[in-house]
Amino acid sequence: MRSAIEAHDFGAVFRIARSEAGISYSKIAAECDMKPERVGALARGEGRVSTFSKITQIADALRIPGRMLGIVPRYWETVEPTTDKASARVNSTQRDGDLVRRRNFVKSSVGVGLAVGLPDLEPVEIGQRIGEKVPEQLRRRTARLRRLDDVLGGGDTYRVYIGEFQATKSLFHDRSYSQETRTGLLSVLAEQAQQAGWAAFDGGKHAVARGLYEDSYAAASEAGDSALAGNALAFLAYQESNGDRLAGVKIAEQSCRTAGPDAPAGVRALLNERLAWAYAVAGNDTEMERALKAAETALGEKGENPQPDWVAWVDSNELEIMAGRCWAELRRPLRAVPVLENALSKYDDTHARDKSLYLSWLADSYLTSGEVEQAASVTGRAFELLSGVASVRPRERMASIIQKLSAHRDLPAVAEVLEMAHG
């Protein structure tokens, strides 16, 4: 079998970047420190790159994980040779499906990554006063970078997000600006700190995440951005619920009060959704249902106020998934399973990190109801989606499910999943 480095098809990545994101080969060449003609040759399938340093350089430039660059492995690099015709047909079908899924995943990664072209900033020389347009330019960059979280885990996005936060912090401390621009920079810093904090949390850096959420709350409060301040507290509450459940509830309640009743509808929907989760973890089903109802009501409003980009992902399907997760956490599988099954049937596989995480609650609910083989099937699907995603949270959830499934290792469906997990 050929080595992983030799198997990378960089040409496919470059073609996708140009066709799906509109990135010229010359720009790719500049970002990857290559000659344009070399990029063009690779895109035509001529030659290959085999050095590890160049692989990592391309991965960094396009902001997609290096292990995902090899999106078109050859037949002999994905399926062991077989002389059995039936097995060959199965392998061929499986191979074709895997290639489609991997191609779609990387296509989405390139489409939402830095390769789509971040908005340019006005050049700021050392000692130069920052213009009033810079905060909005930074906010647009932050919104564009947020799309990375749709398909990648915190292990891959953290470095990008923390770099943007630190760069903005340097501008804030080392440059001069008007009071209006100062307020705008503080608001952007709060948003970027939340983005970096979420990636840190997703990547298992819990202490770092907490510090960034606290930084975000301080910056948002100083900027007078109550919606962002409330969201910073909601992040803290979500993290705190993993330990001190009552503290998680108190912080989640505070997040809703901080944002206030005049916050944009999407913000109120998001914060009430996270409040519902805190109540569910604490075992309070009555308050959980009340919070979910408040989130649903807010989501149904058609106000004229613009919604911030950081709540754009909150929709009726996400709310349905949260409801299913809450019922699963409360050990109510008859309520959780149909809700999660319905919502996840509409959830695209390109959101691999989130879908695998949500599938863990579905698997857990099946186990609670005694449907062991169904739980094993869902767990296997979650493992397939997790391949190549640098995220700690779903893997921690999967470890718990696997431990519970181990008691049923005599069932063939369970044995297969256990082998997959240990592999």
Side-chain angles (χ1 to χ4, degrees), residues 115-131:
V116 300
L118 290 173
D120 293 329
L121 291 175
E122 291 181 349
V124 181
E125 302 294 337
I126 295 178
Q128 182 179 344
R129 187 178 178 86
I130 294 177

Side-chain angles (χ1 to χ4, degrees), residues 190-397:
E191 192 173 338
Q192 290 176 335
Q194 288 178 20
Q195 196 172 73
W198 176 248
F201 176 64
D202 191 51
K205 301 174 173 39
H206 299 301
V208 173
R210 179 182 298 277
L212 285 164
Y213 294 153
E214 291 170 349
D215 287 347
S216 174
Y217 177 71
S221 298
E222 190 174 349
D225 194 329
S226 58
L228 263 178
N231 198 45
L233 290 173
F235 273 122
L236 279 169
Y238 192 83
Q239 183 170 350
E240 192 66 36
S241 293
N242 290 335
D244 189 335
R245 298 179 178 185
L246 293 181
V249 168
K250 290 180 179 179
I251 298 173
E253 291 173 339
Q254 184 186 353
S255 76
C256 292
R257 290 194 300 269
T258 298
D262 297 326
V267 174
R268 285 182 281 117
L270 173 60
L271 300 191
N272 275 287
E273 178 188 282
R274 287 179 173 161
L275 176 60
W277 174 250
Y279 281 133
V281 173
N284 191 334
D285 57 345
T286 302
E287 292 300 326
M288 180 272 287
E289 286 193 276
R290 183 175 290 122
L292 283 176
K293 183 62 178 177
E296 183 181 2
T297 300
L299 201 59
E301 292 181 10
K302 296 182 179 179
E304 297 181 357
N305 294 334
Q307 305 298 311
D309 181 79
W310 47 267
V311 299
W313 58 276
V314 181
D315 57 21
S316 58
N317 202 47
E318 284 286 349
L319 186 57
E320 190 176 6
I321 287 172
M322 177 56 80
R325 289 174 56 190
C326 287
W327 288 120
E329 195 68 21
L330 289 164
R331 319 310 292 170
R332 301 278 292 277
L334 293 181
R335 299 290 298 271
V337 168
V339 173
L340 287 171
E341 286 277 16
N342 179 63
L344 289 172
S345 69
K346 298 176 285 188
Y347 211 86
D348 196 275
D349 284 359
T350 55
H351 306 293
R353 188 269 314 279
D354 288 344
K355 189 165 185 177
S356 63
L357 184 65
Y358 300 154
L359 283 169
S360 73
W361 273 283
L362 179 58
D364 203 16
S365 290
Y366 274 125
L367 277 172
T368 301
S369 62
E371 299 290 343
V372 178
E373 291 179 313
Q374 192 65 27
S377 175
V378 172
T379 302
R381 180 74 184 112
F383 270 120
E384 289 176 358
L385 288 170
L386 264 181
S387 178
V389 178
S391 178
V392 170
R393 291 183 304 133
R395 285 184 166 80
E396 289 177 342
R397 290 277 311 169

Side-chain angles (χ1 to χ4, degrees), residues 26-99:
S26 59
K27 182 174 182 180
I28 294 173
E31 289 290 331
C32 300
D33 192 24
M34 301 170 69
K35 294 182 179 180
E37 52 268 30
R38 171 67 167 153
V39 173
L42 287 169
R44 294 190 298 273
E46 300 170 6
R48 63 175 64 232
V49 178
S50 58
T51 61
F52 180 77
S53 60
K54 181 54 68 176
I55 290 172
T56 25
Q57 189 174 25
I58 294 172
D60 285 346
L62 296 180
R63 297 305 193 269
I64 56 177
R67 60 186 167 280
M68 294 302 299
L69 286 173
I71 68 174
V72 191
R74 280 24 172 211
Y75 174 85
W76 54 83
E77 294 164 334
T78 57
V79 181
E80 292 295 336
T82 177
T83 56
D84 181 78
K85 292 184 179 180
S87 298
R89 283 195 299 272
V90 171
N91 284 341
S92 178
T93 301
Q94 177 184 351
R95 181 185 71 253
D96 293 342
D98 288 343
L99 293 185

